[in-house]
């Protein structure tokens, strides 16, 4: 019989032998027998977290599954598995078969959402076509490095931190933490491991991959999708959708115009099903869809800065002993404060041992973000320090949030917005302070002393601030129904860009859901 036991606590320097001994002790206590009189087999770590409440006596806390021949008063270990939706609407023929209606589903964007939508569709035999406006990750890396190193004064508008194979998440810490609960999460993690990620992401409480490893993993995921019959076309931007209207189907998708960013040529592609998996920075796409009458609305998001501290300080405060970072990895944090006026201030996408980067997509703008490599061994820690933006802060219209973002991104560029917290709080002329809306600057000023009490040194005067962090989430939501269809049938908005996810994991899960909806729709038609 397989059982599960939790709250197995060991010291960071201990290992699997100590975990097994702790499990045996719990079993012996439950059976009122001595240890060594029972056989515990096939121990599997399900979850690992850190308990740092009694610094510096930090412990690793495990949940483990194990085999035992006998009855125990423990939870039965039942591993929830993702069950793929089988497609019955695929006709035989060729290496991978064809969809019953003769079409191939198309996906715009190859970030986490588009990647996993394509993978699930390919596994079902539906041979998806992916259109990615940016370049393959190997070429994209060169364009990003050129801009980050200063060899280019402006980002490539189609190949940058936001656009290209893997999406914005490719140049981040590669965090896989999420607030959602979904059986599909395990599927995503397993596919990352299959593509080369460390198996420990399957049980770490705060799994991450790292920018350096993500680049290879993204490429491997693409190759797997292609091996299953999928196809990806790089430097191909969705320029316009083509729709028809009739009494039976209402307004529905019939095709799309694709712009080749290399040659400048435009081609028309017939399509009945399009997963819109563009990221939150595809502003031209949102404008096009808005002008075509696709129903959408402005939504809340956040704006703020990147804040940097010495990683050694974070390790000391969080662990009690900075040397523990050698065993536990660089420490992180998550802070928040509610201002007197109700405005929220919080840290976001904390990057231990990381680097602050310019994530601009448009000329003469400054957009800041953070990234970490897998080792997280840099000298500095950084995170977003963000303030709630309410829809009431914005102008009229569904795209008002985009113009709001753009205003402060241009200000940050003009002001060369890099400073310190000390200067930010003392000087009304501070470049970072003047690159934020007044309500955001005021909220940060109010919150910092409180955050400094929660994490000693967070409000130190030499903490470096860079503005403006404006792309933490989409300012737009494209409305969809219970079948994930937009107001134009056949157009399925999914992931972070259309406003339905917030990070790699939730975007990937939403992509899987979109693929499942397509498969179920095909199954309804049946094979003739």
């Amino acid at each position: 019989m397989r059982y599960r036991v939790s709250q197995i606590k060991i010291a960071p320097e201990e290992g699997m032998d100590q975990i097994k001994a702790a499990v045996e002790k719990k079993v012996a206590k439950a059976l009122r027998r001595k240890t060594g009189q029972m056989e515990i087999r096939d121990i599997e770590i399900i979850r690992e977290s850190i308990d740092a409440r009694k610094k510096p006596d930090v412990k690793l806390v495990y949940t483990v599954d194990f085999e035992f021949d006998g009855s125990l008063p423990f939870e039965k270990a039942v591993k929830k598995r993702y069950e793929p939706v089988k497609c019955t609407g695929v006709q035989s023929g060729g290496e991978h078969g064809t969809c019953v209606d003769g079409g191939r589903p198309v996906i715009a964007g190859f970030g986490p959402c588009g990647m996993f939508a394509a993978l699930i569709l390919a596994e079902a035999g539906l041979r998806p076509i992916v259109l990615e406006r940016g370049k393959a990750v190997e070429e994209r890396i060169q364009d990003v490095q050129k801009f980050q190193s200063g060899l280019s004064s402006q980002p490539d508008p189609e190949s940058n931190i936001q656009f290209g194979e893997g999406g914005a998440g490719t140049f981040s810490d590669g965090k896989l933490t999420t607030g959602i609960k979904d059986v599909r999460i395990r599927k995503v993690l397993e596919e990352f491991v299959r593509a080369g990620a460390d198996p420990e992401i399957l049980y770490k409480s705060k799994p991450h991959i790292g920018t350096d490893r993500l680049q290879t993993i993204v490429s491997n995921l693409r190759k797997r999708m292609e091996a299953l019959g999928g196809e990806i076309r790089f430097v191909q931007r969705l320029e316009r959708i083509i729709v028809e209207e009739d009494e039976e189907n209402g307004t529905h998708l019939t095709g799309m115009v694709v712009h080749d960013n290399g040659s400048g040529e435009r081609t028309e592609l017939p399509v009945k099903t399009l997963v819109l998996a563009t990221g939150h920075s595809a502003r031209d796409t949102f404008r096009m869809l808005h002008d075509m009458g696709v129903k959408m609305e402005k939504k809340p998001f956040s704006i703020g800065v990147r804040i940097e501290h010495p990683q050694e300080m974070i390790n000391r405060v969080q662990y009690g002993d900075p040397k523990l970072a050698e065993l536990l990895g660089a420490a992180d944090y998550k802070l928040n404060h509610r201002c007197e006026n109700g405005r929220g201030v919080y840290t976001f996408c904390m990057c231990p041992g990381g680097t602050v980067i310019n994530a601009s997509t448009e000329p003469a703008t400054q957009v800041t973000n953070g990234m970490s490599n897998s080792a997280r061994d840099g000298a500095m820690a950084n995170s977003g320090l963000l303030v709630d933006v309410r829809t009431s802060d914005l102008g009229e219209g569904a795209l008002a949030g985009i113009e709001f973002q753009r205003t402060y991104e241009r200000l940050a560029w003009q002001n060369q917005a890099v400073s310190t917290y000390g200067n930010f709080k003392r000087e009304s002329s501070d470049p970072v302070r003047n690159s934020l809306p007044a309500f955001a600057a005021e909220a940060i000023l109010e919150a910092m002393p409180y955050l400094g009490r929660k994490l000693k040194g967070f409000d130190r005067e030499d903490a470096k601030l860079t503005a403006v962090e404006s792309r933490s989430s989409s300012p737009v939501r494209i409305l969809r129904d219970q079948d994930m269809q937009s107001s134009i049938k056949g157009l399925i908005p999914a992931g972070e860009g259309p406003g339905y996810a917030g990070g790699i994991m939730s975007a990937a899960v939403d992509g899987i859901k979109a693929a499942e909806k397509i498969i179920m729709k095909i199954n309804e038609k049946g094979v003739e």
Side-chain angles (χ1 to χ4, degrees), residues 239-437:
E239 185 168 271
R240 182 167 58 87
I241 59 172
I242 302 170
V243 301
E244 290 183 0
E245 187 170 356
D246 56 51
E247 291 184 4
E248 182 180 354
N249 300 309
T251 305
H252 60 280
L253 184 70
T254 61
M256 57 196 297
V257 176
V258 180
H259 181 268
D260 187 311
N261 292 328
S263 67
E265 294 181 357
R266 290 171 173 81
T267 57
E268 188 173 312
L269 180 68
V271 57
K272 296 180 180 180
T273 302
L274 171 64
V275 178
L276 187 74
T278 51
H280 54 47
S281 295
R283 293 167 168 175
D284 51 355
T285 304
F286 296 142
R287 169 60 67 182
M288 177 271 293
L289 295 172
H290 179 269
D291 292 346
M292 293 197 67
V294 176
K295 291 182 180 179
M296 59 181 70
E297 63 186 11
K298 58 187 176 183
K299 63 175 279 292
F301 56 102
S302 301
I303 195 167
V305 301
R306 271 277 142 180
I307 185 167
E308 292 181 85
H309 303 87
Q311 182 62 51
E312 189 275 341
M313 183 200 90
I314 305 300
N315 294 340
R316 184 176 64 254
V317 174
Q318 296 295 74
Y319 294 152
D321 180 357
K323 293 182 180 179
L324 283 172
E326 298 175 8
L327 297 171
L328 299 171
D332 63 5
Y333 59 78
K334 187 176 183 180
L335 306 172
N336 64 81
H337 174 71
R338 183 68 58 184
C339 294
E340 290 186 4
N341 63 3
R343 189 84 66 171
V345 181
Y346 64 100
T347 59
F348 171 80
C349 188
M350 192 269 162
C351 296
T355 306
V356 173
I357 54 176
N358 189 338
S360 301
T361 57
E362 299 177 353
T365 60
Q366 181 168 298
V367 179
T368 189
N369 202 353
M371 59 175 273
S372 296
N373 286 330
S374 55
R376 290 177 164 178
D377 54 0
M380 301 299 289
N382 72 80
S383 75
L385 180 60
L386 304 182
V387 180
D388 296 341
V389 176
R390 303 163 177 167
T391 55
S392 58
D393 298 319
L394 308 174
E396 295 298 320
L399 304 182
I402 292 176
E403 293 309 314
F404 181 94
Q405 290 174 326
R406 189 174 275 141
T407 294
Y408 293 100
E409 291 167 7
R410 288 171 175 165
L411 270 176
W413 171 266
Q414 293 167 11
N415 295 335
Q416 299 183 32
V418 180
S419 185
T420 63
Y421 171 60
N423 199 68
F424 180 89
K425 72 177 181 179
R426 284 190 301 268
E427 302 293 336
S428 60
S429 60
D430 178 78
V432 172
R433 191 164 164 177
N434 282 283
S435 300
L436 295 172

Side-chain angles (χ1 to χ4, degrees), residues 51-264:
D51 183 351
R53 290 174 295 180
K54 297 179 180 179
K55 304 177 182 66
D57 185 23
V58 177
K59 300 291 186 183
L60 291 174
V61 185
Y62 291 94
T63 296
V64 300
D65 287 357
F66 62 95
E67 291 286 340
F68 180 73
D69 296 331
S71 179
L72 291 173
F74 297 154
E75 178 185 351
K76 296 285 178 62
V78 180
K79 187 180 293 185
K80 294 181 179 179
R81 306 290 300 184
Y82 170 72
E83 295 295 336
V85 178
K86 297 186 183 299
C87 187
T88 59
V90 177
Q91 296 172 322
S92 61
E95 185 179 354
H96 300 282
T98 58
C99 177
V100 66
D101 65 4
R104 296 173 68 181
V106 177
I107 300 161
F110 201 59
C113 177
M115 192 181 306
F116 278 88
L119 182 59
I120 298 301
L121 291 170
E123 287 180 337
L126 293 176
R127 301 166 57 238
I129 298 171
V130 180
L131 304 176
E132 168 54 57
R133 69 188 297 165
K135 298 177 183 178
V137 68
E138 297 87 354
E139 298 175 80
R140 182 188 179 198
I141 292 169
Q142 298 176 26
D143 293 331
V144 169
Q145 290 177 341
K146 186 177 179 181
F147 177 53
Q148 297 296 326
S149 66
L151 292 176
S152 174
S153 62
Q154 301 293 342
D156 184 317
E158 302 292 354
S159 181
N160 48 59
I161 291 289
Q162 310 288 352
F163 299 150
E165 183 177 21
T170 302
F171 293 91
S172 70
D173 186 55
K175 292 179 183 63
L176 303 177
T177 51
T178 179
I180 66 172
K181 302 290 184 182
D182 195 292
V183 70
R184 298 170 185 84
I185 290 173
R186 183 77 182 187
K187 168 69 172 176
V188 177
L189 293 173
E190 288 175 347
E191 289 297 339
F192 277 130
V193 171
R194 182 173 184 165
D198 193 318
E200 71 177 16
I201 68 171
L202 296 172
Y203 59 82
K204 288 279 189 180
S205 63
K206 297 178 181 179
H208 85 285
I209 296 176
T211 296
D212 52 335
R213 299 191 67 179
L214 263 173
Q215 294 162 5
T216 299
I217 289 166
V218 163
S219 177
N220 288 341
L221 282 167
R222 178 235 305 165
K223 292 172 183 175
R224 173 159 150 70
M225 184 269 294
E226 290 175 322
L228 290 167
E231 176 185 355
I232 186 164
R233 303 174 184 177
F234 290 110
V235 297
Q236 303 293 304
R237 174 169 52 85
L238 168 62
E239 185 168 271
R240 182 167 58 87
I241 59 172
I242 302 170
V243 301
E244 290 183 0
E245 187 170 356
D246 56 51
E247 291 184 4
E248 182 180 354
N249 300 309
T251 305
H252 60 280
L253 184 70
T254 61
M256 57 196 297
V257 176
V258 180
H259 181 268
D260 187 311
N261 292 328
S263 67

Side-chain angles (χ1 to χ4, degrees), residues 446-468:
E446 179 183 335
M448 281 295 283
Y450 293 95
L451 300 179
R453 292 171 199 166
K454 293 180 177 181
L455 197 156
K456 186 177 180 181
F458 190 82
D459 59 344
R460 57 192 284 171
E461 297 217 343
D462 64 348
K464 186 177 178 181
L465 303 181
T466 306
V468 59

